[in-house]
Amino acid sequence: MPLKEAAYRPYMLTLLAVILASNGVDRLALSLLLQEIKVDLALSDTQLGLMSGIAFAIFYSLMGIPIARWADKGNRVTIITVTTALWSVAVGLCALAGNFVQLLLIRVGVAVGEAGCIPPAHSLIADHFSRTERPRALSRYMLGGPLSAVFGYLLAGWLNELYGWRLTFLIVGIPGLLLAIVAWFTLREPRRQGMLNAREQASKEWPDAQESSPSLREVFVTLWTIPTFRHLMFSFAAVSFFSYGIGKWKPAFFIRSFGMETGELGAWFTLIYGVGGLLGIYLGGALASRFAARNERLQLKMMALTYAAFAVVSTAMYLVSNVYVAFALMAIATIGGNSVAGPVFATIQTLVPPRMRAMSIALLYLFANLVGLGLGPLGVGMLSDAIAPWAGTESLRYVLLVLSPGYLWGAWHLWRASTTVVRDMEVTYEREMTSSDSAQVEASSNAPRRIPGETVSSSI
């Protein structure tokens, strides 16, 4: 018997979070296994950066656009199921790679599959949770990120020591296939049921929440003309460049600079990214929903300050010579950095029209991944190779030290977004009212005008 809405919503969040964790396990495991792959296939840091960075990011980012278009008007459960199965099979195939080209092509297949995870999930969650609930709901969904650290670092670290990197990839790919089956049989697509969601929230939150799909040009123009969205996109891209570039090479840094083994390192990364990440994301969503509900301006200002502190602590990590002090600083930075995720994505889902929710996330990841995931690991790898002749095994330390203050760039854009978010919500809402047909305008004439800090409907 299908679950009632009260029980279904937490179940849906949990399952989507676990699928997100499966999505992230592969990339975290890859970062931990880069050194082993380098030795086995005789690759350079530049090749590793290319394979884990730009080659993956191009397909991951570009495929996100057509998938998100499909998600904004099609069956999101089908999208999540098919793409989960696809990336799981491709991850397992990494075990068969015999050279750089083969591994590169397989990673492209992984990228295509993983592109279908986040945009449909965000859209689905936004349909089931109101504006007030979204920071907490999306934070709980984003818990899948640090949850992936538990499996990606701990299991990959020990599996690599016991069985090698090839069998590790094969084992990592299996859970995704099982999750795809569970999603297919248990998740619901509200559109297929002839309803937007249990509370009919979108029809109250926006006057033209309907099945008509805007053109791709209309989506691009609409989103680009929202200053807050632009600042959030630039912030996400800047932070992604430094976080992907630095994060992908952190395991190699600890291996080279402190002589750690993958098993021990995986346990530490599990504790820091797993527990610290879970704590940070949960606190970010809970605090935003409790103390700044329906106050996106305050949420963005606090996130900007958090990222500024994150930049300082992250930089300090590469100045210390004691590995345990470095881990402590890394834990503090992880908690703070992860607290931003839920409120940022909740703001976006409230800011844009429902018809463009999946596309807004896809565009966000398009620029962030092309710049961050694409250029970050590659840039670090190239810089490391460039200074290796005089820096030796400490080349990564110097590169990561120089890049860490870059998080301040993302903080600046978040602060700028806080100055425009209220006005942009007003403008976007009024634009939607104007563009709706006369019958719809009349039907929504009793809906109050959105003003700073208030909802459109008391049920939202």
Side-chain angles (χ1 to χ4, degrees):
M1 178 180 293
L3 290 173
K4 294 183 178 180
E5 185 69 12
Y8 174 75
R9 294 201 303 166
Y11 167 78
M12 177 192 71
L13 278 180
T14 301
L15 180 57
L16 291 176
V18 174
I19 291 175
L20 178 62
S22 176
N23 181 282
V25 162
D26 156 69
R27 277 167 283 167
L28 295 177
L30 177 64
S31 67
L32 193 64
L33 301 174
L34 281 180
Q35 188 66 19
E36 300 294 327
I37 296 173
K38 173 185 175 74
V39 174
D40 188 19
L41 299 182
L43 305 181
S44 67
D45 283 352
T46 300
Q47 287 177 306
L48 292 175
L50 177 64
M51 178 267 297
S52 62
I54 189 66
F56 181 94
I58 287 176
F59 289 89
Y60 181 85
S61 304
L62 294 181
M63 287 303 299
I65 298 300
I67 291 175
R69 286 283 290 169
W70 181 14
D72 274 331
K73 58 183 177 180
N75 192 316
R76 291 161 289 189
V77 174
T78 298
I79 297 171
I80 292 171
T81 300
V82 171
T83 56
T84 301
L86 175 60
W87 88 58
S88 300
V89 171
V91 168
L93 290 176
C94 290
L96 304 179
N99 54 53
F100 173 70
V101 174
Q102 292 176 3
L103 185 58
L104 185 68
L105 293 176
I106 294 172
R107 296 302 302 174
V108 167
V110 175
V112 173
E114 291 187 356
C117 175
I118 296 178
H122 275 259
S123 176
L124 201 59
I125 292 169
D127 275 3
H128 284 85
F129 293 89
S130 69
R131 176 185 176 188
T132 303
E133 299 169 316
R134 281 180 201 142
R136 190 189 302 271
L138 283 167
S139 290
R140 290 180 177 176
Y141 167 65
M142 298 303 292
L143 289 175
L147 183 61
S148 66
V150 175
F151 302 101
Y153 286 131
L154 184 61
L155 290 182
W158 289 110
L159 285 173
N160 176 59
E161 287 198 10
L162 294 173
Y163 305 110
W165 67 271
R166 295 181 183 277
L167 189 56
T168 297
F169 274 121
L170 185 62
I171 295 174
V172 165
I174 294 175
L177 293 175
L178 302 178
L179 290 171
I181 296 172
V182 174
W184 176 258
F185 286 105
T186 62
L187 290 183
R188 307 171 189 166
E189 172 53 71
R191 295 168 184 155
R192 191 169 59 181
Q193 298 173 350
M195 51 181 279
L196 188 56
N197 57 54
R199 299 185 179 191
E200 297 179 344
Q201 78 169 39
S203 63
K204 295 186 176 75
E205 199 167 344
W206 297 97
D208 70 339
Q210 56 191 9
E211 292 300 314
S212 62
S213 178
S215 66
L216 193 60
R217 181 181 181 277
E218 181 183 350
V219 172
F220 286 147
V221 171
T222 299
L223 295 178
W224 183 254
T225 55
I226 303 174
T228 300
F229 182 80
R230 292 203 306 270
H231 280 298
L232 292 176
M233 183 172 65
F234 293 147
S235 173
F236 197 56
V239 170
S240 293
F241 175 82
F242 297 104
S243 61
Y244 278 125
I246 294 171
K248 188 69 68 175
W249 289 98
K250 274 184 183 177
F253 160 69
F254 280 100
I255 291 172
R256 297 180 191 181
S257 295
F258 295 103
M260 301 190 71
E261 298 292 334
T262 58
E264 181 186 6
L265 186 59
W268 276 105
F269 272 45
T270 297
L271 179 64
I272 294 171
Y273 281 119
V275 178
L278 288 169
L279 180 61
I281 289 180
Y282 175 79
L283 287 176
L287 292 175
S289 291
R290 182 172 182 178
F291 298 108
R294 300 182 300 279
N295 191 345
E296 286 79 9
R297 179 197 285 125
L298 178 58
Q299 292 179 28
L300 289 170
K301 285 183 176 180
M302 295 308 299
M303 287 185 278
L305 295 175
T306 298
Y307 262 144
F310 175 70
V312 174
V313 176
S314 296
T315 302
M317 190 180 82
Y318 302 104
L319 294 173
V320 301
S321 58
N322 185 294
V323 66
Y324 301 110
V325 175
F327 281 142
L329 292 170
M330 183 176 163
I332 295 171
T334 299
I335 294 172
N338 277 279
S339 67
V340 173
V344 162
F345 287 115
T347 297
I348 292 171
Q349 293 301 294
T350 301
L351 178 68
V352 305
R355 310 171 292 159
M356 304 178 186
R357 280 173 174 160
M359 274 296 295
S360 68
I361 299 301
L363 285 174
L364 200 73
Y365 276 91
L366 170 66
F367 289 101
N369 287 320
L370 286 177
V371 174
L373 183 57
L375 301 178
L378 177 60
V380 172
M382 293 177 67
L383 288 172
S384 177
D385 281 340
I387 68 173
W390 63 266
T393 57
E394 292 294 323
S395 61
L396 272 178
R397 179 191 293 272
Y398 295 125
V399 172
L400 301 184
L401 173 63
V402 171
L403 292 179
S404 290
Y407 293 114
L408 293 171
W409 186 6
W412 182 83
H413 279 293
L414 285 178
W415 189 269
R416 291 286 295 151
S418 73
T419 66
T420 60
V421 63
V422 173
R423 181 188 62 199
D424 286 345
M425 285 183 174
E426 284 273 1
V427 171
T428 304
Y429 179 72
E430 290 172 357
R431 179 190 297 149
E432 290 296 302
M433 289 188 66
T434 302
S435 64
S436 55
D437 58 60
S438 58
Q440 207 163 7
V441 170
E442 182 179 356
S444 62
S445 60
N446 293 326
R449 181 176 180 268
R450 182 183 301 219
I451 62 176
E454 293 187 352
T455 61
V456 176
S457 170
S458 59
S459 65
I460 299 299

